[in-house]
């Protein structure tokens, strides 16, 4: 985690395919991150959606990039250890 991030909480989990986290970013505490998980032989496909409060002055692309780093790079690296 970077200095401007906090550990998100699981707000909702609907088996088998959806999880919603609270915000990862201290500066956007009302943001929500929803992951959709679907089967994709032989594994799974995960997509994410970031929701921010209406009127928030936020660029979404850096947020998407950071989520991609955490899920794709960091999680995969943990499997290689």
């Amino acid at each position: 985690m970077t200095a401007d991030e906090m550990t998100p909480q699981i707000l909702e989990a609907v088996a088998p395919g959806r999880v919603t986290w609270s915000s990862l970013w201290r500066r956007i505490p009302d943001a929500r991150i929803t992951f959709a998980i679907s089967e994709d032989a032989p594994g799974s496909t995960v997509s994410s959606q970031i929701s921010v409060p209406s009127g928030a002055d936020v660029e979404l692309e850096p947020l998407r990039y950071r989520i991609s780093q955490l899920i794709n790079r960091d999680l995969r690296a943990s499997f290689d250890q």
Side-chain angles (χ1 to χ4, degrees), residues 22-34:
S22 62
S23 184
L24 179 68
W25 303 279
R26 296 180 193 283
R27 69 189 193 310
I28 321 165
D30 294 331
R32 298 290 176 261
I33 306 142
T34 301

Side-chain angles (χ1 to χ4, degrees), residues 4-50:
D4 67 334
E5 294 175 347
M6 57 190 170
T7 302
Q9 302 298 310
I10 297 173
L11 301 177
E12 181 181 34
V14 179
R18 188 177 39 145
V19 177
T20 300
W21 284 358
S22 62
S23 184
L24 179 68
W25 303 279
R26 296 180 193 283
R27 69 189 193 310
I28 321 165
D30 294 331
R32 298 290 176 261
I33 306 142
T34 301
F35 298 95
I37 304 123
S38 57
E39 290 185 34
D40 186 17
S44 299
T45 299
V46 178
S47 61
S48 63
Q49 177 180 348
I50 301 169

